[in-house]
Amino acid sequence: EPEVTQTPSHQVTQMGQEVILRCVPISNHLYFYWYRQILGQKVEFLVSFYNNEISEKSEIFDDQFSVERPDGSNFTLKIRSTKLEDSAMYFCASGRDSSNQPQHFGDGTRLSIL
Amino acid sequence: AQKITQTQPGMFVQEKEAVTLDCTYDTSDPSYGLFWYKQPSSGEMIFLIYQGSYDQQNATEGRYSLNFQKARKSANLVISASQLGDSAMYFCAMRGDQTGANNLFFGTGTRLTVIP
């Protein structure tokens, strides 16, 4: 069964550095998402992406964040000037269409800012 | 705006018994979707079951069923014949109610522990 893959599984970075989290969505999916889960808290929506542009973003997704689909398969989340509070699990998800079909999540990237 | 509430931070169930995890929601959109995800200790998010607001019947997927009570705005997850592997966090989620917004809003989760 096709799945969403995320790399790396764990990223440790010094505060102030830039990180790029990578995702390969399911191949026939058109909608892509990033979510964040701070340790012990609920999953929070960051951004959705469709047709090569951002379709929706939350208040969390400020100028520090950006997303890109550099080629036909990868979907990346870039975090600039990382802060301690950016430490979290970051999930990529993809969906086939805009209806109520489930979003399929990757296994996440655990980001630790030191 | 939409809101998801899970009032049970933790639940215990005896192996082979059934358990119900509560979820209530609030939305002004007549069309919406409700989802349940399982998060084991390893951290991944596993889709379990989906219920559409216009679905006439409660959703079922194997040992998972959804007790959907639209008038009460509740979408409780029922797990039958609990197994030790069911021990995990369970999140209820709702699709956004704004046109074109398909992001999910999650509840705070319920930690289920299955006792042998």
Side-chain angles (χ1 to χ4, degrees):
Chain A
E1 185 175 328
E3 57 183 27
V4 178
T5 57
Q6 290 186 243
T7 55
S9 57
H10 192 186
Q11 175 82 43
V12 181
T13 302
Q14 290 288 330
M15 187 172 59
Q17 297 296 306
E18 174 182 286
V19 296
I20 297 177
L21 310 183
R22 303 180 191 281
C23 169
V24 179
I26 295 174
S27 61
N28 63 348
H29 286 185
L30 302 176
Y31 293 80
F32 314 119
Y33 310 84
W34 283 101
Y35 293 84
R36 168 181 95 174
Q37 185 182 30
I38 294 172
L39 185 63
Q41 298 186 21
K42 67 179 180 181
V43 178
E44 302 172 290
F45 166 72
L46 293 178
V47 65
S48 60
F49 194 85
Y50 170 71
N51 201 24
N52 288 321
E53 61 182 23
I54 291 174
S55 53
E56 191 78 15
K57 59 182 181 179
S58 71
E59 294 176 350
I60 304 169
F61 194 87
D62 58 20
D63 293 343
Q64 186 192 3
F65 296 88
S66 62
V67 290
E68 195 176 40
R69 188 159 162 80
D71 52 44
S73 59
N74 290 287
F75 179 49
T76 63
L77 174 68
K78 181 187 291 185
I79 309 174
R80 290 177 283 273
S81 301
T82 49
K83 300 172 284 192
L84 295 177
E85 53 265 40
D86 294 327
S87 295
M89 180 76 94
Y90 288 82
F91 289 103
C92 173
S94 69
R96 195 170 59 193
D97 54 32
S98 62
S99 72
N100 288 319
Q101 293 297 310
Q103 294 175 18
H104 295 271
F105 283 69
D107 289 347
T109 293
R110 183 168 298 284
L111 177 63
S112 300
I113 306 299
L114 304 179
Chain B
Q2 51 283 332
K3 184 179 179 182
I4 292 281
T5 303
Q6 294 180 256
T7 57
Q8 306 156 315
M11 288 285 285
F12 292 86
V13 64
Q14 203 75 38
E15 193 179 7
K16 300 180 184 177
E17 297 293 313
V19 63
T20 298
L21 307 183
D22 295 342
C23 173
T24 58
Y25 60 91
D26 192 18
T27 180
S28 57
D29 197 324
S31 176
Y32 51 89
L34 295 154
F35 304 81
W36 277 92
Y37 285 85
K38 172 184 178 181
Q39 188 178 41
S41 57
S42 48
E44 67 269 32
M45 294 288 286
I46 303 168
F47 166 73
L48 295 178
I49 196 167
Y50 158 77
Q51 179 81 46
S53 58
Y54 290 122
D55 292 344
Q56 295 297 312
Q57 294 187 329
N58 287 342
T60 60
E61 286 287 347
R63 294 187 298 111
Y64 304 109
S65 61
L66 208 151
N67 184 2
F68 181 48
Q69 298 188 45
K70 194 171 182 177
R72 295 185 178 183
K73 293 190 174 180
S74 72
N76 299 337
L77 177 70
V78 180
I79 305 174
S80 62
S82 297
Q83 302 171 357
L84 295 178
D86 294 334
S87 293
M89 282 290 289
Y90 288 81
F91 291 97
C92 180
M94 169 184 284
R95 184 186 67 94
D97 64 359
Q98 300 296 317
T99 300
N102 301 301
N103 49 286
L104 296 176
F105 289 85
F106 284 82
T108 51
T110 296
R111 182 172 298 282
L112 177 67
T113 303
V114 180
I115 304 168

